[in-house]
Amino acid sequence: MLVYIVRRFFQLIPTFLGATMLAFLISQLVPGDFLTQKALEPNVRPETIERMRSQFGLDQPITVQYVRWMGNLMQGNLGQSFVSNQPVINRIGRPMRNSMYLALLSIFMLWAVAVPAGVYSAVRQYSVGDQVVSVFSYFGLAIPNFFFAQVLILLIFVTRSFTKDAFGFNQLVFPVAGMTSGNYLQMSPWGQFWDVMWHMFIPSFVVATAGMAGFTRVLRAQMVEYLASDFIRTARAKGLAQRGVTYKHALRPAIIPFVAGIGGLLPDLVGGAGLVEVTMSWPGITPTFLEALNSQDIYVVLGLLVITTILLMIGNLLSDLLLAAVDPRIRYN
Amino acid sequence: MKRVLIGLTFLAVASFAFAQPFVWPSAWTNATPDEAVYGGTLRIAMIGDPRTFNPVISAESQALSDYLFDTAAPLIIRGPDSDEWLPYGAQSYTVSEDGRTIDMVLREGMKWSDGSDITVQDYYIRYVLETDPDVGSNGYDGWFMDGDPITMEITGDNTLRFTFPRPDRMAFPVAAVSPVPDKIFGEAYRTGGAEAVQALWGTDVDVTTTIWPTEFVPVSFQPGERIILERNPYFGEWNVDEAGNPLPYLDGYSMTIAGDLDAALNLFIAGEIDSFSPRNLDDIGVINQAVNNGDIDVVVMESVSPVASSQFIVWNWNKASDPAKEALFRNVNFRRAMAHLVDRDLMMDLVYNGAGVPMYTNVYPINDYWVNHDVEKYPFDPERAQELLASIGYDRTNAQGLLVNAQGQTVSFTLATNAGNTQREQLAQIFADTAREAGVDVTVSAIDFNLLVDQLLSVGEDRPFDAILIGLTGGSRDWPFGVNVIPCGTNLHMFNTSPECLTTGETLMGQLFTQGRETLDTEAAREIGYEIQKVEADLIPIVYLVSPMAHYAFNSALTGYHQEDQINPLLGAWELPLLFKAQ
């Protein structure tokens, strides 16, 4: 096993170099650079732009830029952000943490709803409940995140109008933007925790619905297959209760692919929840990434790509190892 | 509350005995001092995180930087009611006979938010840092006039002098310098050079260690969430209202960081921010609906003024690889014909739902004082356009209904604009459609913004575009003509980037630009500005389109903002010290 891990680790190095080089090359194919927009300001002199270009090293050949960047990367330095004149890690660290909060809650929501739903659908195949689960999960899959978030925001406003007329309650049941309330800093640690949770609920829910369809359908198919297998019949024959058969004997093997997929979630944790973060002003990595792309702050973009690449590679390795741990049929030598 | 107020007033009066405070005129607000109420917080949204807290290297314009960096105790300021520059950080100033030097006497009693005195050195160090190219300050270019340096020197314990190479209308904006604390910035520069200055006050700084001259100072910054600013207790010592009350009235100022303007609109409708600038009539519709439902209590000001930017079509005069097109674009009758094909009414209706104004010269309509309304406007008139095109040989139509000349050539070109800017794409398409009806073949091409800018700014005899629809922002109330735009050979002289002028009109405009900039008398300068616009309209190298309107919406409790005719994107909506929240 150890030999396998070491071997895999060494295989990661060329993959990593290839991926970063490709990312760097692509980032250079984009026309212009982050000083291009500045050139449209009527009172900025072209000499100034040229001077700044050389200060940032943007006038160097691309190979020189790459070697410099790689050299820094080897020392754990992701480079400087042009725009904020700060180390890239300062720029992306906190948004990554915020995105991770969102990802964790949405994964928890996904599992909490999708596992029972998948099991239910398998046990009560083709029942009305099964159909309802299908319809809702496909709805979640089909509707784009940012749009669903807008719909929910609208719903929150409509609810306010309703509660105001009905009970005189002119407050929003959930916040429509941001991660904390205005008086966050005055709250107790416990209050702060709940404030963030309260702000996190809607965006996490939106993210969770997107994964629901895939999860429930695969789990349902797995469960149906196992429920029809011989060892389940044996279990039933020896008089086990239905609940035990379903959850202990069928669900355990059926869940294996999902456990193995946990490693694959690693890059998702910091990779951002997508446009829902922009729609709901969640200070995650997606808005940071988009802003960096827009202003062509390439080292921020590359820094993010490097981190997600590393996490993807570690995640894949982790998945393989987890698979071996939960599935007795798999052994690495 | 009242006792506190009396206490504050007493404190202020006591200190005024030896220092003369700046009195904020009531003419700058829609309220009187006796209506004002102390307390409350102004809550606004800001799009995206601040990029730095360092005023010297800041290269952006957004709520925080506009506030902390640019309005912080400048030597001179200007109110919304007049174009006159008033001494602010300076107690008084004098301009020399030849208009080349401005002498400033510093106001006594000004303090940083840590209670220490603001000195001439604090103003001077800003100049030193901004003029060192290694510091990389965004203010660097402002210290030059046509390549000649403008200088600042300390002439006494509390006096400063600005020296200009020539008399200059842009002198006052240059002299409106804001201080930075010498004990922090100067110290860093003297010990660690430019790099040490760049390293100061990044977004990772503990904001409570930063000091400011402003009425509110940052006390907490949560990236991606909000910046909270609180009253600077020393500000009221040298800033009072007309009744002598210390300012500001508000206790705090909070900026919630929103992902985009849609999110900011949601915050406004949720009642979590006090002010929002609707982008268009759709936003206003959404706000009005919430108002009609009784969900929020806000004041909506629709179509208050045009925005401070331009939109235009420019044709490329440097196209050596296609001599026929180059000759066409250089032909003034072609360009006049194109100008007659711009249906500004249709553009305003379709793109801005009627909330726009037509634009005919390079001066933004918001700067009405400087706009020459008597220039040739080339009203929408396809028949006149066809006559003009016939006069240059395009006098017959082909089977497709396009105008052709004796050689069978059509009038066809590509009009590029930046992809993703739906309003510009619509404007381009409307022009193409009206042109097609008149027999002119225009292909609209939406390309990446940076590619578009690269094309526009390319130089030489053969540039890679036909025509571009784009806009410029940034201008001044003192001399609203771009130093990089009007003279030949500058980088935003977009239609012709060959180093020499190709027409007498361009030469004349360049001469008038320099002459006007050196004319200190405003009315005389305006006459020169009118002449520039007239010459440009005759030459018509650029066809200006329409300018959308700006809108505002405020929480009804908010008072003390500008009088309604003084609210616009150039003047802003309020003077922060005078703003308050009615209880």
Side-chain angles (χ1 to χ4, degrees):
Chain A
M1 184 68 126
L2 193 70
V3 178
Y4 173 77
I5 295 176
V6 172
R7 202 174 64 215
R8 277 290 297 264
F9 181 77
F10 279 106
Q11 282 170 356
L12 291 182
I13 295 173
T15 317
F16 177 73
L17 286 175
T20 50
M21 190 183 287
L22 203 63
F24 194 87
L25 276 176
I26 291 173
S27 77
Q28 298 292 327
L29 288 179
V30 182
D33 57 41
F34 98 108
L35 290 165
T36 306
Q37 298 199 7
K38 209 175 179 54
L40 265 198
E41 289 175 26
N43 293 315
V44 174
R45 301 189 304 165
E47 302 92 287
T48 303
I49 302 213
E50 280 316 306
R51 181 167 45 75
M52 291 180 79
R53 202 158 266 152
S54 79
Q55 272 173 359
F56 288 116
L58 288 168
D59 57 344
Q60 300 290 324
I62 167 172
T63 42
V64 176
Q65 292 188 43
Y66 178 74
V67 169
R68 269 191 200 167
W69 176 68
M70 212 36 184
N72 282 331
L73 193 60
M74 288 300 130
Q75 297 159 36
N77 176 2
L78 290 172
Q80 280 297 101
S81 155
F82 297 140
V83 172
S84 66
N85 210 355
Q86 281 205 24
V88 165
I89 197 70
N90 289 3
R91 192 105 179 80
I92 61 180
R94 194 165 165 137
M96 279 187 169
R97 186 203 68 184
N98 294 339
S99 278
M100 189 156 27
Y101 291 162
L102 205 60
L104 286 175
L105 182 63
S106 67
I107 290 168
F108 174 77
M109 280 185 178
L110 177 65
W111 281 62
V113 178
V115 171
V119 171
Y120 177 88
S121 287
V123 176
R124 307 267 165 85
Q125 236 181 323
Y126 307 122
S127 67
V128 179
D130 180 25
Q131 311 278 9
V132 170
V133 169
S134 295
V135 167
F136 274 101
S137 51
Y138 278 113
F139 178 76
L141 183 73
I143 191 166
N145 267 347
F146 67 93
F147 179 72
F148 189 40
Q150 285 285 12
V151 170
L152 290 179
I153 289 170
L154 186 67
L155 216 69
I156 292 170
F157 282 130
V158 170
T159 311
R160 174 177 67 174
S161 291
F162 171 76
T163 56
K164 175 172 63 79
D165 293 341
F167 319 107
F169 180 74
N170 194 6
Q171 299 282 322
L172 297 176
V173 283
F174 283 106
V176 291
M179 183 169 131
T180 51
S181 300
N183 56 349
Y184 177 78
L185 292 177
Q186 283 87 53
M187 294 177 182
S188 65
W190 191 240
Q192 291 186 339
F193 173 77
W194 280 113
D195 190 51
V196 173
M197 287 297 272
W198 184 54
H199 280 81
M200 204 152 61
F201 186 83
I202 296 285
S204 300
F205 176 72
V206 170
V207 177
T209 51
M212 207 78 89
F215 200 111
T216 48
R217 297 316 286 179
V218 173
L219 183 61
R220 178 179 180 275
Q222 288 266 334
M223 284 289 286
V224 167
E225 194 188 322
Y226 282 113
L227 283 172
S229 58
D230 291 343
F231 69 91
I232 295 290
R233 196 181 321 124
T234 311
R236 287 202 176 117
K238 71 180 182 186
L240 279 185
Q242 175 66 18
R243 171 177 290 268
V245 171
T246 310
Y247 285 96
K248 275 201 176 137
H249 290 82
L251 181 61
R252 270 194 182 172
I255 210 91
I256 285 178
F258 298 101
V259 175
I262 287 177
L265 292 174
L266 213 53
D268 288 355
L269 285 180
V270 298
L275 286 176
V276 64
E277 291 184 349
V278 178
T279 311
M280 303 214 58
S281 276
W282 186 263
I285 202 69
T286 312
T288 313
F289 190 59
L290 289 178
E291 200 197 312
L293 276 179
N294 253 334
S295 52
Q296 290 193 295
D297 199 351
I298 52 165
Y299 293 124
V300 173
V301 175
L302 288 172
L304 198 63
L305 289 177
V306 164
I307 292 181
T308 38
T309 307
I310 293 174
L311 288 178
L312 184 71
M313 294 188 309
I314 297 176
N316 276 345
L317 179 60
L318 207 65
S319 285
D320 290 346
L321 299 179
L322 273 176
L323 208 55
V326 293
D327 193 335
R329 290 167 297 184
I330 297 174
R331 283 283 170 270
Y332 298 120
N333 296 312
Chain B
M1 182 67 215
K2 202 169 184 181
R3 193 172 301 158
V4 175
L5 195 66
I6 293 168
L8 278 174
T9 316
F10 176 74
L11 200 75
V13 169
S15 50
F16 300 157
F18 52 87
Q20 271 184 299
F22 180 81
V23 180
W24 289 77
S26 296
W28 293 1
T29 141
N30 64 357
T32 56
D34 53 305
E35 291 171 58
V37 186
Y38 280 89
T41 298
L42 172 68
R43 305 163 305 162
I44 65 158
M46 149 173 177
I47 307 303
D49 273 334
R51 288 161 175 178
T52 179
F53 283 91
N54 184 330
V56 178
I57 60 161
S58 164
E60 59 178 338
S61 179
Q62 51 164 232
L64 181 86
S65 56
D66 286 356
Y67 172 58
L68 278 183
F69 306 162
D70 299 331
T71 66
L75 288 166
I76 46 176
I77 58 170
R78 181 151 64 169
D81 60 337
S82 121
D83 276 348
E84 192 194 348
W85 287 93
L86 304 173
Y88 180 63
Q91 182 75 50
S92 62
Y93 68 81
T94 44
V95 182
S96 69
E97 197 87 339
D98 64 359
R100 287 189 48 227
T101 55
I102 304 178
D103 283 298
M104 306 256 183
V105 181
L106 211 66
R107 184 180 299 279
E108 277 178 41
M110 285 193 295
K111 294 217 168 109
W112 292 103
S113 54
D114 66 349
S116 60
D117 288 336
I118 298 177
T119 66
V120 281
Q121 187 62 31
D122 296 327
Y123 285 92
Y124 180 70
I125 193 66
R126 176 107 185 211
Y127 157 77
V128 172
L129 298 177
E130 288 197 345
T131 50
D132 179 350
D134 291 334
V135 173
S137 170
N138 206 38
Y140 181 79
D141 282 335
W143 292 99
F144 291 89
M145 185 181 177
D146 299 338
D148 299 323
I150 297 165
T151 59
M152 177 177 177
E153 59 193 314
I154 297 176
T155 49
D157 284 349
N158 65 339
T159 52
L160 289 163
R161 171 173 291 168
F162 292 84
T163 309
F164 297 84
R166 283 174 291 284
D168 188 0
R169 291 201 59 73
M170 303 298 282
F172 281 108
V174 175
V177 173
S178 290
V180 288
D182 181 69
K183 60 183 175 188
I184 296 173
F185 283 79
E187 193 55 35
Y189 186 63
R190 287 184 288 270
T191 54
E195 272 185 31
V197 174
Q198 288 173 338
L200 283 171
W201 296 8
T203 44
D204 53 347
V205 72
D206 172 8
V207 290
T208 56
T209 64
T210 62
I211 59 171
W212 305 90
T214 39
E215 56 274 60
F216 300 108
V217 290
V219 291
S220 102
F221 167 48
Q222 300 152 267
E225 295 163 53
R226 67 183 55 74
I227 300 164
I228 295 174
L229 300 102
E230 279 176 9
R231 175 205 291 271
N232 167 5
Y234 299 98
F235 187 80
E237 291 185 13
W238 62 283
N239 288 274
V240 294
D241 65 13
E242 281 189 350
N245 300 313
L247 295 172
Y249 298 126
L250 291 166
D251 280 343
Y253 187 12
S254 91
M255 301 179 183
T256 300
I257 296 158
D260 61 6
L261 283 165
D262 288 309
L265 176 61
N266 287 334
L267 284 170
F268 188 65
I269 300 200
E272 286 174 26
I273 55 173
D274 296 317
S275 163
F276 178 73
S277 299
R279 289 158 291 182
N280 47 40
L281 295 185
D282 292 341
D283 282 359
I284 292 190
V286 172
I287 294 170
N288 279 338
Q289 198 186 355
V291 173
N292 293 340
N293 282 347
D295 296 338
I296 47 173
D297 192 5
V298 302
V299 180
V300 179
M301 295 184 187
E302 192 180 314
S303 298
V304 172
S305 110
V307 300
S309 61
S310 62
Q311 292 187 100
F312 51 80
I313 299 176
V314 56
W315 283 268
N316 176 11
W317 293 14
N318 316 104
K319 232 177 149 46
S321 59
D322 191 343
K325 261 187 187 165
E326 184 178 83
L328 187 67
F329 296 155
R330 286 186 184 190
N331 190 313
V332 70
N333 281 331
F334 162 78
R335 298 193 303 270
R336 287 177 180 162
M338 292 305 108
H340 278 299
L341 290 176
V342 174
D343 189 347
R344 294 183 178 81
D345 290 333
L346 189 65
M347 288 176 172
M348 286 187 290
D349 280 349
L350 291 185
V351 183
Y352 302 113
N353 295 321
V357 287
M359 188 172 176
Y360 300 102
T361 87
N362 68 69
V363 181
Y364 312 151
I366 187 177
N367 240 334
D368 193 55
Y369 178 84
W370 291 93
V371 176
N372 183 351
H373 293 282
D374 296 327
V375 298
E376 177 62 53
K377 292 196 170 76
Y378 307 100
F380 177 60
D381 187 350
E383 281 172 24
R384 177 75 191 123
Q386 284 171 333
E387 281 169 32
L388 284 163
L389 290 171
S391 76
I392 56 170
Y394 296 89
D395 53 1
R396 60 208 86 179
T397 47
N398 68 8
Q400 287 81 45
L402 293 174
L403 293 171
V404 288
N405 62 8
Q407 291 80 44
Q409 291 166 323
T410 56
V411 187
S412 57
F413 59 86
T414 302
L415 175 60
T417 192
N418 56 311
N421 186 327
T422 49
Q423 296 183 334
R424 281 193 191 147
E425 287 175 27
Q426 284 174 320
L427 291 172
Q429 198 54 54
I430 291 170
F431 176 76
D433 290 347
T434 46
R436 181 67 182 79
E437 279 174 34
V440 175
D441 178 28
V442 181
T443 311
V444 175
S445 145
I447 59 177
D448 176 76
F449 179 76
N450 284 343
L451 197 60
L452 189 75
V453 174
D454 280 350
Q455 292 185 356
L456 190 73
L457 299 183
S458 58
V459 291
E461 296 305 316
D462 192 33
R463 300 159 70 207
F465 72 97
D466 289 351
I468 281 177
L469 191 158
I470 200 168
L472 293 181
T473 58
S476 119
R477 285 155 73 189
D478 300 276
W479 182 241
F481 303 94
V483 61
N484 283 347
V485 183
I486 306 282
C488 295
T490 53
N491 66 325
L492 286 173
H493 194 76
M494 297 163 279
F495 52 94
N496 166 28
T497 55
S498 43
E500 288 93 38
C501 297
L502 290 172
T503 57
T504 49
E506 290 170 84
T507 315
L508 182 57
M509 281 165 65
Q511 287 164 354
L512 288 167
F513 174 84
T514 310
Q515 191 192 339
R517 192 174 168 182
E518 291 176 9
T519 302
L520 296 185
D521 179 68
T522 302
E523 287 200 9
R526 176 164 71 163
E527 287 307 315
I528 297 169
Y530 277 6
E531 193 59 25
I532 293 180
Q533 294 169 67
K534 189 173 164 296
V535 175
E536 189 184 23
D538 288 338
L539 188 65
I540 196 89
I542 291 170
V543 175
Y544 298 94
L545 306 174
V546 292
S547 177
M549 298 299 274
H551 319 279
Y552 293 86
F554 305 117
N555 179 344
S556 296
L558 204 64
T559 320
Y561 43 83
H562 289 169
Q563 293 166 26
E564 195 157 343
D565 60 339
Q566 294 171 356
I567 295 180
N568 74 38
L570 275 188
L571 303 176
W574 55 59
E575 305 301 319
L576 200 52
L578 295 171
L579 208 57
F580 62 92
K581 272 185 166 173
Q583 301 296 311

